[in-house]
Amino acid sequence: MKKILVTGGLGFIGSHTVVELVNAGYDPVIVDDLSNSNVKILDQITKIIGVKPAFYQLDLCDEAGVYSLAKDEPNVEGIIHFAAFKAVGESVQFPLKYYRNNFYSLINLLNAYAGKPVNFVFSSSCTVYGQPENLPVTEDEPVKPAQSPYGNTKQIAEEMLRDLIASGSNYKITSLRYFNPVGAHESALIGELPIGVPQNLVPFITQTAIGKREKLTVFGDTYNTPDGSCIRDYIHVVDLAKAHVAALKLMEKEGFKGYDVFNLGTGKGNSVLEVIHAFEATTGVKLPYVIGPARPGDVEQVWGDVTKSAEVLGWKAELGLPEMMSSAWAWEQYINQNPL
Ligand code: WQD
């Protein structure tokens, strides 16, 4: 079986990707520093796949530690790199923390496995587009000046990867630009595990629905959109995880040109109010919400053109808003009864 290193493999997208890698016959090796995840997710993953993946607790900023990992795990054929700080607001407050962590970890990893024929999948983001001129946004849309240090780390990392390939490296690399990952595995054994008050919409919705939060605040309803609230391209985390398997398979094929970029979304936009109504319709739970001021830095509307992902990556999202809402709710109910 092909060994695949999954950094940040105990995180939200990472854990779902580990499950899909096993389903696809790969042998995932999880690396996580537990700075934004819970080691018990390893047991949850084990319950789903029936085997316990190898796990290394490691901060990828520790250069010596990464080289020692590469010595212990020399036969890695692929790397899926999720491990990074990703809170937009926090990155504005502590930019150097973000630049240090997100770049040191990436560079250490690429250096430690340099020279081996490794297929490298990079976790990028639709934040590189800012507020696109054209919607749906394609991968050829000019990258806008980032609106946060977090978004900037994704933009600069993509440039670093392009430069690495241009230097003649024998890595093969795909950058995957995620839109808004939501939902949870159908088993409800893994899902989004925000630490503290959730920043993102869907975990705030489910925590409000279960009574952990008094009400949801909709950040603005005077945008230039049909119902005034912001529009995003929400994608089920399991669909997103499957796209990472598709990226590995693409790079394993003859003729892959060295570097490519793909939008991972559904190609459909939904407003905040539409998501709230979809949650209520799917779960039957009435959601208490109020309209509040717009959140600084929010993009008004963005959703992805996913033609290239369908035609080149050979991947398409299959799950819709109802499955995203029902799975997120099932996970919230599970984790409320079974705190990790
Ligand atoms: C979605 C919409 C909010 C909370 C995320 C990640 C970012 C990147 C892209 C990966 C916005 C509104 C939210 C709330 C609200 N992903 N909202 N009330 O901002 O699109 O960014 O996806 O790289 O890292 O953070 O997602 O879920 O925070 O917001 O009204 O309590 O929901 O204003 O319009 P966002 P989000």
Side-chain angles (χ1 to χ4, degrees), residues 176-320:
L176 303 181
R177 292 174 177 170
Y178 308 154
F179 284 75
N180 286 55
V182 298
H185 189 261
E186 61 188 4
S187 64
L189 291 169
I190 53 175
E192 198 163 0
L193 205 57
I195 295 175
V197 178
Q199 296 303 305
N200 293 131
L201 177 64
V202 172
F204 207 108
I205 285 178
T206 57
Q207 288 193 11
T208 303
I210 206 138
K212 271 177 86 169
R213 309 285 163 204
E214 186 207 338
K215 63 184 181 310
L216 170 78
T217 302
V218 174
F219 296 148
D221 70 344
T222 57
Y223 285 97
N224 182 22
T225 61
D227 65 17
S229 64
C230 288
I231 294 173
R232 294 287 185 276
D233 184 337
Y234 296 94
I235 174 170
H236 198 294
V237 65
V238 171
D239 276 330
L240 191 67
K242 289 177 178 174
H244 292 74
V245 174
L248 287 175
K249 298 230 176 284
L250 177 68
M251 291 188 280
E252 288 162 6
K253 275 189 207 152
E254 282 307 309
F256 179 78
K257 62 187 180 195
Y259 183 81
D260 215 340
V261 186
F262 296 98
N263 281 342
L264 298 188
T266 63
K268 192 174 170 323
N270 284 109
S271 73
V272 175
L273 291 170
E274 284 173 337
V275 172
I276 292 170
H277 298 145
F279 180 82
E280 292 179 323
T282 308
T283 62
V285 176
K286 191 90 185 83
L287 200 76
Y289 69 88
V290 295
I291 305 293
R295 180 171 67 175
D298 266 346
V299 155
E300 177 177 88
Q301 48 188 312
V302 59
W303 64 94
D305 180 309
V306 290
T307 311
K308 184 180 173 189
S309 289
E311 291 176 355
V312 179
L313 186 57
W315 166 89
K316 201 169 160 356
E318 292 159 7
L319 300 167

